[in-house]
Amino acid sequence: MTGKATPSLRDEVDKARQSAVSAIASATDTASLRKVAAELANKKSALNAIRAQLGKIEDAAEKKAVGQALSEATAEIESARVARENELGDAEFAAQVERERMDLTEFLTGPRRGTAHIVTQATERLEDVFIGLGFQVAEGPEVETDFYNFEALNMPASHPARSEFDTMFIEPFSDQHEANTVLLRTHTSPVQIRVMQSWKPPIYAIMPGRVFRRDTPDATHMPVFHQIEGLVIDKGITFAHLAGIIEAFTKAFFGNEFTSRLRPSFFPFTEPSAEFDIRRANGSWIELGGCGMVHPNVLAAGGIDPDEYTGFAFGFGIDRMAKERHGVEDIREMYTNDLRFLRQFT
Ligand code: FA5
């Protein structure tokens, strides 16, 4: 190595330093930075190649100057590498945190849960009220026979009251049944017979369920709706017990400001019979159901001795109760499944 050569060796150190610093600056992630660092550490890297020639420099001052340039370049490159490593590491960590971030705000507002339908809510509340009054809950089938839906309820074939129930008949599914004797129940009253046949008095039962009629939908009618039947059979039961239970129920379900009234009516399965109305906040009355003293023929059809026991029964429309309780204008709104409507009743 000649004295002339050493200044250019220092230039080379400078060039190698610059190119190393710019390679470090252009690394876009920590993996590529590690690759750059590995190349710089390689024996064949520009700086290491110069370092290898150091021993050959004869001029001691030059040797020292090149050596110093080399160590300054090495220190600068190392600090550029450390700075870039921190910079890229921070950015990568921030990106990872962002990627794996959990949106905890959803736990603040709570996940959006579905809730029971307004009619289900009303049914459960009705059950609670009546259980509180000492009743038990029973259920019956939605597909019924003529016997339970009509005959046992004192409506023999050709009874004119049958026409009031716009009945949907279904094809009999066994040889046991004749045509037009299998139907979708038009009310929950057939469950009265089933309960009388399988329980022993005293009976204090409610029977909620879905019923079906060929009714055209309007603001107060649906072809598929819900009723809750009540049946009390015991010794010495009178109409006063019926009126008392209806009033107690009205106050418990709708609130103390509501009152009930019974209007004379007719049902083949009760005698005497009444319609049950409640008075709304605006003073108007709405019919919620029918009721009356269980007809002796019905008690007999249920296997109960009418000379020993008396009883009363009632049947209310649950959909209409839910409608009144929540001030819904049109019963059809409850079945459009519009979430904006349903979410009001969570
Ligand atoms: C009956 O269904 C009798 N089984 C009630 C009964 C039971 C009387 C026990 C005596 C003893 P009615 O057809 O009136 O009665 O219906 C009873 C209630 O069901 C009505 O007052 C009304 O609240 C509701 N309802 C009737 N038809 C519809 C309909 N299409 N849509 C919604 N609710 C209805």
Side-chain angles (χ1 to χ4, degrees):
M1 191 62 58
T2 63
K4 257 187 180 173
T6 46
S8 81
L9 210 51
R10 266 185 278 162
D11 287 348
E12 275 179 48
V13 170
D14 204 40
K15 253 200 257 163
R17 177 186 60 79
Q18 278 175 24
S19 101
V21 167
S22 95
I24 286 167
S26 29
T28 49
D29 54 34
T30 48
S32 59
L33 179 65
R34 268 196 299 277
K35 239 167 107 186
V36 170
E39 278 159 17
L40 292 175
N42 191 293
K43 268 203 293 200
K44 288 178 189 152
S45 75
L47 274 185
N48 283 341
I50 298 167
R51 191 170 281 118
Q53 293 178 40
L54 205 57
K56 295 180 194 155
I57 302 173
E58 285 155 12
D59 184 312
E62 272 308 302
K63 195 173 179 172
K64 194 176 166 201
V66 174
Q68 198 172 348
L70 270 172
S71 68
E72 278 169 12
T74 306
E76 187 184 330
I77 289 165
E78 178 58 8
S79 80
R81 187 195 66 77
V82 169
R84 187 71 182 142
E85 186 175 49
N86 288 341
E87 199 178 358
L88 291 173
D90 286 354
E92 280 169 20
F93 182 68
Q96 183 187 0
V97 167
E98 182 57 32
R99 233 182 3 259
E100 295 172 3
R101 186 165 74 98
M102 279 167 67
D103 183 3
L104 295 176
T105 55
E106 78 183 49
F107 293 102
L108 287 180
T109 52
R112 196 158 242 183
R113 291 179 201 285
T115 46
H117 188 269
I118 176 174
V119 168
T120 309
Q121 289 181 29
T123 308
E124 286 171 357
R125 217 180 118 77
L126 285 160
E127 289 178 4
D128 285 351
V129 167
F130 279 108
I131 287 169
L133 292 168
F135 285 67
Q136 284 178 280
V137 183
E139 280 184 354
E142 292 177 354
V143 174
E144 265 297 5
T145 59
D146 183 277
F147 173 78
Y148 286 100
N149 198 80
F150 294 121
E151 186 104 23
L153 289 167
N154 205 26
M155 283 181 277
S158 82
H159 192 291
R162 284 191 177 209
S163 60
E164 282 177 29
F165 297 101
D166 289 313
T167 310
M168 288 187 257
F169 290 93
I170 62 171
E171 291 287 323
F173 37 79
S174 85
D175 296 343
Q176 267 182 297
H177 303 289
E178 290 168 25
N180 290 345
T181 60
V182 182
L183 47 88
L184 294 178
R185 66 180 178 191
T186 56
H187 52 172
T188 42
S189 299
V191 195
Q192 284 186 36
I193 305 295
R194 293 185 177 275
V195 165
M196 284 188 237
Q197 285 178 338
S198 52
W199 297 13
K200 285 206 173 351
I203 294 171
Y204 290 78
I206 47 156
M207 301 144 253
R210 195 156 51 155
V211 301
F212 310 82
R213 287 185 199 175
R214 281 191 292 114
D215 279 348
T216 307
D218 64 22
T220 53
H221 291 83
M222 286 297 286
V224 179
F225 58 103
H226 302 78
Q227 288 187 339
I228 186 162
E229 195 80 9
L231 178 68
V232 168
I233 299 193
D234 207 342
K235 288 184 176 158
I237 294 291
T238 69
F239 203 90
H241 294 118
L242 168 60
I245 283 284
I246 298 249
E247 182 65 9
F249 155 76
T250 302
K251 298 227 176 301
F253 187 78
F254 292 100
N256 266 335
E257 64 281 20
F258 284 80
T259 46
S260 64
R261 77 174 175 196
L262 297 174
R263 264 181 304 117
S265 184
F266 173 78
F267 294 99
F269 29 93
T270 46
E271 180 59 36
S273 303
E275 300 280 4
F276 152 57
D277 301 335
I278 58 157
R279 200 180 59 196
R280 295 154 151 160
N282 66 7
S284 66
W285 295 87
I286 175 155
E287 173 204 311
L288 286 187
C291 57
M293 300 304 290
V294 182
H295 195 288
N297 289 353
V298 175
L299 289 172
I304 289 171
D305 181 357
D307 292 328
E308 194 179 356
Y309 290 100
T310 52
F312 65 77
F314 54 80
F316 307 153
I318 300 179
D319 312 65
R320 288 209 194 152
M321 288 204 188
K323 177 179 172 298
E324 284 312 309
R325 188 154 184 267
H326 296 289
V328 175
E329 289 280 308
D330 190 317
I331 208 165
R332 288 169 293 191
E333 278 188 75
M334 299 180 356
Y335 293 100
T336 54
N337 281 342
D338 184 335
L339 287 177
R340 290 165 303 177
F341 173 82
L342 295 173
R343 281 190 182 133
Q344 299 174 82
F345 309 105
T346 53

